[in-house]
Amino acid sequence: MALMLTTSDVAVLVARMNIRRTLDLLSRYIQDDFVRWESFEKIARLASHSTVGVIELMPTSDADRYSFKFVNGHPSNPSHGLPTVMAFGALAEVSTGRPLLLSELTLTTALRTAATSVMAARVLARKEAHTMALIGNGAQSEFQALAFHHLLGIDTLRIYDIDPEASHKLKQNLAGVQGLDVQLARSTQDAVAGVDIITTVTADKTNALILTPDMVQPGVHVNAVGGDCPGKTELHADILSGATTFVEFEPQSRIEGEIQQMPSTYAVIPLWEVLTGRRPGRRSDAEITIFDSVGFALEDFSALRFLWDQARALQIGREFELVPQAGNPKDLFGAMRHLSADTTAGMEKAALACPHEA
């Protein structure tokens, strides 16, 4: 039997653990797997692009577990009453191929993206960082804000979005967070003035100039989250020229990240090499660092592993028969006939117990 987790199940799991513990533990799962980087099979995600969005498949595996995520990105979805990003995924045994977990990953993707951002910022931002600008106040903004507040000590957050309602939504949702001062900014330039960290998480599927060089001061860490597909960026190329850039999986980032604007000779540092101590992270207080975050399948592997462990410990979710469980494993036709007979008998029994009124 496989375990299924719905969006309601994941929401309950987070509520029972609380958001701070969830983000903290999830970031540690991700870091543990990044440290094991060389034990994973890695490929860039498989993407199907249209004029209005993208649908992607993100697989990876180690010697024991295989995972994949199905995810979309459609910026116009909110006008249709749908999230911009929707996802689900699975975790399976490598030794048998047996599916272990089928889970929603829409909520979980927002959680793991924020947890990954903080994991990177721990080694890339200045140690005394306490202020952050958050540009783009949509569906992922609360998760980024809470992760940086609870896990990195950010106490002042300046927020800006071209849609004022999005910023007011964010401010309202964070109103009860103790020790976090949320300030509405008049513009991107107003939001980023003098801050320690800049997080960009916008949704437009275009090459945009959310940040220009005059907005990024020495010592700033830029957490660039929104640029995540070909033709979609947020930073002026001259910012990259004057900064040290860190990436997840370089072959994917060259296609989808901020560095798609740069020549192939532009040097980047894989984040896993910093986390394992092979390469330095931030080297001085004046250095500008960029985490060119496009999202990589290993983070979803970690998230699914986290859900699998925590859901079983908290007894959340339900088991269901995703593959046949009984009978001769070589007699699939017989299994189908047996399962059909059992289901029909159950329906007939239920009908007898609750007959329709004449």
Side-chain angles (χ1 to χ4, degrees):
M1 302 292 277
L3 180 66
M4 176 181 284
L5 295 177
T6 65
T7 52
S8 296
D9 293 326
V10 171
V12 168
L13 186 151
V14 174
R16 288 179 61 179
M17 293 185 66
N18 77 52
I19 188 72
R20 179 173 189 161
R21 182 166 172 247
T22 298
L23 288 165
D24 186 27
L25 189 55
L26 180 52
S27 73
R28 297 181 190 282
Y29 269 68
I30 297 169
Q31 181 159 337
D32 287 346
D33 287 335
F34 264 74
V35 169
R36 299 191 301 120
W37 183 267
E38 293 174 296
S39 67
F40 285 88
E41 290 188 355
K42 298 169 286 291
I43 62 169
R45 55 187 157 208
L46 308 174
S48 176
H49 294 276
S50 69
T51 56
V52 293
V54 62
I55 297 174
E56 301 167 332
L57 188 66
M58 302 172 64
T60 192
S61 67
D62 63 8
D64 298 317
R65 297 285 185 262
Y66 171 92
S67 76
F68 74 82
K69 180 170 81 171
F70 172 101
V71 62
N72 78 297
H74 287 72
S76 64
N77 268 7
S79 65
H80 305 298
L82 293 170
T84 298
V85 175
M86 298 176 286
F88 67 89
L91 186 70
E93 287 180 338
V94 167
S95 59
T96 64
R98 178 172 66 101
L100 302 173
L101 174 67
L102 181 65
S103 178
E104 85 81 40
L105 288 181
T106 305
L107 296 176
T108 305
T109 292
L111 289 162
R112 72 86 159 135
T113 302
T116 302
S117 294
V118 166
M119 179 188 72
R122 285 191 181 115
V123 293
L124 302 182
R126 291 195 304 253
K127 297 302 181 185
E128 72 276 10
H130 68 93
T131 60
M132 183 169 84
L134 185 50
I135 312 303
N137 301 160
Q140 291 204 38
S141 58
E142 287 86 355
F143 299 90
Q144 292 283 332
L146 290 170
F148 276 89
H149 171 61
H150 288 312
L151 306 185
L152 207 70
I154 294 299
D155 57 27
T156 302
L157 187 69
R158 295 189 197 151
I159 64 175
Y160 177 73
D161 195 293
I162 57 173
D163 176 9
E165 290 187 9
S167 297
H168 287 292
K169 175 269 304 181
L170 174 59
K171 185 173 175 65
Q172 183 177 8
N173 283 341
L174 298 178
V177 179
Q178 188 174 3
L180 180 62
D181 179 19
V182 181
Q183 303 173 359
L184 292 169
R186 299 183 302 273
S187 64
T188 298
Q189 192 150 9
D190 180 38
V192 303
V195 298
D196 301 309
I197 297 172
I198 302 171
T199 290
T200 57
V201 60
T202 60
D204 285 343
K205 196 174 183 289
T206 59
N207 287 120
L209 292 179
I210 305 302
L211 292 182
T212 51
D214 59 297
M215 299 181 189
V216 182
Q217 302 303 308
V220 166
H221 171 59
V222 179
N223 178 40
V225 179
D228 58 0
C229 68
K232 181 184 178 188
T233 56
E234 297 177 309
L235 311 186
H236 191 288
D238 287 349
I239 298 174
L240 296 164
S241 298
T244 307
T245 300
F246 301 80
V247 299
E248 294 142 309
F249 183 49
E250 184 177 344
Q252 180 176 302
S253 299
R254 292 280 180 189
I255 299 169
E256 301 178 352
E258 296 297 326
I259 62 173
Q260 67 185 271
Q261 307 175 72
M262 309 303 286
S264 60
T265 54
Y266 177 77
V268 298
I269 299 175
L271 183 60
W272 74 270
E273 292 189 7
V274 178
L275 296 171
T276 57
R278 297 190 185 190
R279 303 277 292 273
R282 170 172 289 275
R283 293 168 296 181
S284 74
D285 283 349
E287 183 180 21
I288 296 172
T289 56
I290 298 172
F291 178 40
D292 189 2
S293 172
V294 299
F296 182 56
L298 180 56
E299 295 149 25
D300 302 304
F301 177 98
S302 306
L304 287 161
R305 190 168 65 85
F306 166 83
L307 291 175
W308 171 247
D309 289 346
Q310 305 313 311
R312 288 185 301 154
L314 296 172
Q315 297 185 323
I316 293 173
R318 69 178 182 88
E319 291 188 334
F320 72 113
E321 191 174 10
L322 188 57
V323 296
Q325 299 294 312
N328 182 355
K330 293 185 177 181
D331 185 9
L332 188 59
F333 184 82
M336 180 179 68
R337 199 162 51 179
H338 175 75
L339 290 168
S340 174
D342 284 352
T343 301
T344 301
M347 293 173 64
E348 290 175 349
K349 186 176 179 181
L352 290 171
C354 302
H356 294 291
E357 294 181 6

